């Protein structure tokens, strides 16, 4: 028996629906304690074996996105990869998407606002320049609504995401398995450090985002992303420091 198979021999079972799991603190503690004791690949395999499908992985194709994409694609290359395309991604991000799609044979499913960029700006202006309220509206229309629609369209019951506790204060309490909007949400690399990410990328011949070497370590839309050389603190890298989270993951920042 392989080491990978052995890791699942004594794995806990989960016979609860998402809503039941969310209310059962003892079950949540038991499962998350076990998931916290195994490696990320085992977390993915356990989730595929014990959680309900359909499954999906979300990715912004940001700086270190190749890690989660590789982990999940290695376990099941057919899993849909949800890409929310705001229409304002960097040209380098589109290049990175194409590169990783070819390298990992990803099943990318692209979702966007139904409103083209020109029409959107004609109606609302540059919402990201209109304070916190404008930014929140922008994110709801260009990111959160398409993500919500993606999960519904694909019938997703278990959602993988590459969030890590060390990325931001808003993510410091992440658990490997949570329930979000009635579906299971799995964070296979929730406890990884930047060094863990680096070592995984190196071991598997995976790239960073093309803008990484220019000091962009948190990469989203071109109008709301800054490099390290442009800011005085990490909190200003995205959204001019007005917030940290875009809202897709239900976290506040």
């Amino acid at each position: 028996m392989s080491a990978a198979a052995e890791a699942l021999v004594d794995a806990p079972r989960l016979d609860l629906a998402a809503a039941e799991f969310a209310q059962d603190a003892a079950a949540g503690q038991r499962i998350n304690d076990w998931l916290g004791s195994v490696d990320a690949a085992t977390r993915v395999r356990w989730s595929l074996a014990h959680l309900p499908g359909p499954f999906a992985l979300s990715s912004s194709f940001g700086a270190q996105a190749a890690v989660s994409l590789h982990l999940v694609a290695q376990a099941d290359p057919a899993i849909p990869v949800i890409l929310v395309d705001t229409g304002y991604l960097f040209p380098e991000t589109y290049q990175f998407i194409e590169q990783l799609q070819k390298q990992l044979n990803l099943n990318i499913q692209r979702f966007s606002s139904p409103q083209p960029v020109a029409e959107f700006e004609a109606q609302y202006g540059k919402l990201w320049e209109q304070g916190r309220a404008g930014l929140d509206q922008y994110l709801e229309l260009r990111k959160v609504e398409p993500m919500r629609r993606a999960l519904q369209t694909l019938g997703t019951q278990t959602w993988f995401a590459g969030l890590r506790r060390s990325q931001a204060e808003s993510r410091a309490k992440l658990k490997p398995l949570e329930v979000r909007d009635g579906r299971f949400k799995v964070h296979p690399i929730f406890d990884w450090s930047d060094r863990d990410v680096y070592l995984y990328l190196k071991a598997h011949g995976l790239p960073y985002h093309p803008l990484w070497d220019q000091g962009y370590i948190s990469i989203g839309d071109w109008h709301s992303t800054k490099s390290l050389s442009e800011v005085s603190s990490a909190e200003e890298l995205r959204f001019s420091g007005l917030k940290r989270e875009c809202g897709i993951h239900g976290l506040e920042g």
Side-chain angles (χ1 to χ4, degrees), residues 39-40 80 129 133 183 186 217 220:
D39 63 21
E129 296 180 353
R183 60 177 59 85
V186 185
I217 63 172

Side-chain angles (χ1 to χ4, degrees), residues 149-252:
R149 179 161 32 90
L151 293 168
Q152 292 172 348
T153 300
L154 297 171
T156 305
Q157 296 301 309
T158 298
W159 170 13
F160 291 96
L163 306 186
R164 296 187 290 121
R165 286 178 173 176
S166 62
Q167 289 173 318
E169 185 177 345
S170 54
R171 302 180 179 187
K173 295 182 180 180
L174 281 175
K175 298 175 183 178
L177 180 62
E178 300 180 348
V179 172
R180 177 70 59 188
D181 296 331
R183 60 177 59 85
F184 287 105
K185 191 158 183 279
V186 185
H187 304 124
I189 58 172
F190 79 104
D191 55 350
W192 280 29
S193 65
D194 288 340
R195 178 166 177 76
D196 293 328
V197 169
Y198 165 76
L199 291 174
Y200 188 93
L201 292 173
K202 185 176 181 181
H204 296 279
L206 298 169
Y208 282 93
H209 190 288
L211 290 175
W212 174 265
D213 290 333
Q214 297 180 40
Y216 290 88
I217 63 172
S218 180
I219 302 165
D221 293 330
W222 60 261
H223 54 65
S224 303
T225 301
K226 294 182 178 179
S227 69
L228 287 170
S229 64
E230 299 176 279
V231 300
S232 56
S233 74
E235 296 304 315
E236 300 172 42
L237 290 170
R238 298 284 296 279
F239 312 128
S240 300
L242 293 174
K243 60 187 300 181
R244 176 62 178 83
E245 301 289 347
C246 68
I248 279 180
H249 297 285
L251 301 171
E252 294 299 327

Side-chain angles (χ1 to χ4, degrees), residues 36-65:
S37 73
V38 297
D39 63 21
T42 301
R43 292 165 189 163
V44 172
R45 290 194 300 272
W46 179 89
S47 298
L48 294 174
H50 293 278
L51 300 180
F55 300 89
L57 165 67
S58 64
S59 180
S60 64
F61 288 83
Q64 305 163 343

